[in-house]
Amino acid sequence: MAAAERADGIRGVDDDHYCLSEVALFRDLSRREMAAMAAAAPRRAVSAGQVVYDPSRPVDVLFIVKSGRFRLYRTLPDGRSVTTALPGPGAVFGEMDLLGLRMGGSWAEAVEGGDLCLLSRADVRHMLLGDPRIATRIAEQLGARIAELEQRLTDLVGKSVVERTAHTLCVLAGSVPAGVEPDPVRLTHVQLAALVGATRERTTTALGELAQRGVVSLHRGRIRIRDRVRLAALADGAGRPDGSGSREVGFPGS
């Protein structure tokens, strides 16, 4: 059965542990080889808020993000959620033990509308692991993921809510040329708080501080980034008064 058909009816998907990069995985392939792979993994359109992986209905499937952005998260016993990743265009995630990908108890939902390509277990074994070039790139990315996880843990316990909010907005805005204002981030404060790993109240306070600094402006249902360079600097701790500053240390969701 085709991967797209096997995933019909699934209401959620989430790469609980990490994502791979499509660009890195397939950079050694020719256009003809890429076209053949695309034909085997047809696109599926998803809308904002749609759940693409539900841990209560697990299935072996690999998602390749062609457009849009997705939120991978876990739900805590007290009802709060912790975001584990925000895969965007070029990311690869899913439940696929052949690649070391585990969803576990994680969910995946679309933060914005986009397109996904789906690969079944058989597709992955034949098209990815069967090609030594792609297998080598997978091994490279697994190594890089170790360093990424270490940095993420450091951010969660060592960065303030303001810094985490600034970082999340930078990720959502993506890369744009110098002097060009990114498209607005279309999220409510509640949605952004879930991505940041903080309460709505603390996230709203953090947004207010960023707005006072002139790096963002706040509107109903959207956030405009006025100065991405300064926003990125704040995410890296440039706003700390003495080089370290007061940090709000705690577990995700605090």
Side-chain angles (χ1 to χ4, degrees), residues 159-232:
K159 282 192 172 185
S160 70
V161 174
V162 171
E163 291 166 350
R164 299 202 316 258
T165 301
H167 173 74
T168 301
L169 290 175
C170 284
V171 171
L172 293 173
S175 299
V176 295
V180 176
E181 183 178 305
D183 292 335
V185 175
R186 300 185 181 279
L187 293 176
T188 66
H189 291 194
V190 173
Q191 293 170 324
L192 182 61
L195 298 179
V196 170
T199 63
R200 180 189 63 78
E201 292 78 11
R202 294 177 73 183
T203 303
T204 296
T205 299
L207 284 171
E209 182 173 331
L210 294 175
Q212 289 179 352
R213 292 173 179 268
V215 295
V216 304
S217 60
L218 309 178
H219 310 271
R220 183 180 296 275
R222 58 192 176 93
I223 303 164
R224 300 195 71 90
I225 297 175
R226 299 301 187 183
D227 191 331
R228 195 185 188 286
V229 174
R230 288 180 57 206
L231 184 67

Side-chain angles (χ1 to χ4, degrees), residues 154-155 157-163 209 213 233-249:
T154 300
D155 290 349
V157 300
K159 282 192 172 185
S160 70
V161 174
V162 171
E163 291 166 350
E209 182 173 331
R213 292 173 179 268
L234 289 171
D236 288 336
R240 299 172 192 168
D242 60 356
S244 60
S246 61
R247 300 183 183 181
E248 301 169 59
V249 179

Side-chain angles (χ1 to χ4, degrees):
M1 183 178 295
E5 294 174 349
R6 293 180 60 185
D8 278 342
I10 297 177
R11 299 180 60 83
V13 163
D14 170 22
D15 172 6
D16 179 50
H17 294 289
Y18 65 91
C19 301
L20 302 177
S21 167
E22 176 195 15
V23 175
L25 288 182
F26 305 143
R27 68 186 184 188
D28 299 316
L29 303 187
S30 67
R31 290 187 177 182
R32 178 175 297 179
E33 291 170 321
M34 284 297 298
M37 184 170 293
R43 296 192 184 192
R44 170 172 295 179
V46 295
S47 57
Q50 181 177 343
V51 175
V52 295
Y53 188 88
D54 181 341
S56 68
R57 303 172 64 184
V59 64
D60 289 338
V61 63
L62 187 70
F63 295 88
I64 301 175
V65 183
K66 306 305 293 186
S67 64
R69 187 168 297 278
F70 296 78
R71 174 191 172 214
L72 311 183
Y73 66 96
R74 278 180 175 269
T75 300
L76 302 180
D78 61 6
R80 293 179 299 167
S81 63
V82 176
T83 299
T84 59
L86 291 169
V92 179
F93 68 93
E95 175 69 28
M96 190 58 61
D97 60 351
L98 292 176
L99 302 180
L101 289 171
R102 295 285 192 280
M103 299 299 292
S106 298
W107 298 72
E109 69 174 1
V111 175
E112 57 190 48
D115 292 292
L116 287 171
C117 285
L118 283 68
L119 291 178
S120 69
R121 183 183 180 89
D123 293 332
V124 169
R125 185 184 298 277
H126 174 67
M127 293 192 294
L128 303 190
L129 297 182
D131 189 317
R133 296 168 298 176
I134 299 177
T136 297
R137 299 304 180 191
I138 290 173
E140 292 175 350
Q141 289 202 47
L142 291 177
R145 177 56 182 170
I146 295 175
E148 180 185 339
L149 284 173
E150 291 176 346
Q151 184 60 54
R152 187 173 182 84
L153 288 173
T154 300
D155 290 349
L156 285 173
V157 300
K159 282 192 172 185
S160 70
V161 174
V162 171
E163 291 166 350
R164 299 202 316 258
T165 301
H167 173 74
T168 301
L169 290 175
C170 284
V171 171
L172 293 173
S175 299
V176 295
V180 176
E181 183 178 305
D183 292 335
V185 175
R186 300 185 181 279
L187 293 176
T188 66
H189 291 194
V190 173
Q191 293 170 324
L192 182 61
L195 298 179
V196 170
T199 63
R200 180 189 63 78
E201 292 78 11
R202 294 177 73 183
T203 303
T204 296
T205 299
L207 284 171
E209 182 173 331
L210 294 175
Q212 289 179 352
R213 292 173 179 268
V215 295
V216 304
S217 60
L218 309 178
H219 310 271
R220 183 180 296 275
R222 58 192 176 93
I223 303 164
R224 300 195 71 90
I225 297 175
R226 299 301 187 183
D227 191 331
R228 195 185 188 286
V229 174
R230 288 180 57 206
L231 184 67
L234 289 171
D236 288 336
R240 299 172 192 168
D242 60 356
S244 60
S246 61
R247 300 183 183 181
E248 301 169 59
V249 179
F251 294 100
S254 61

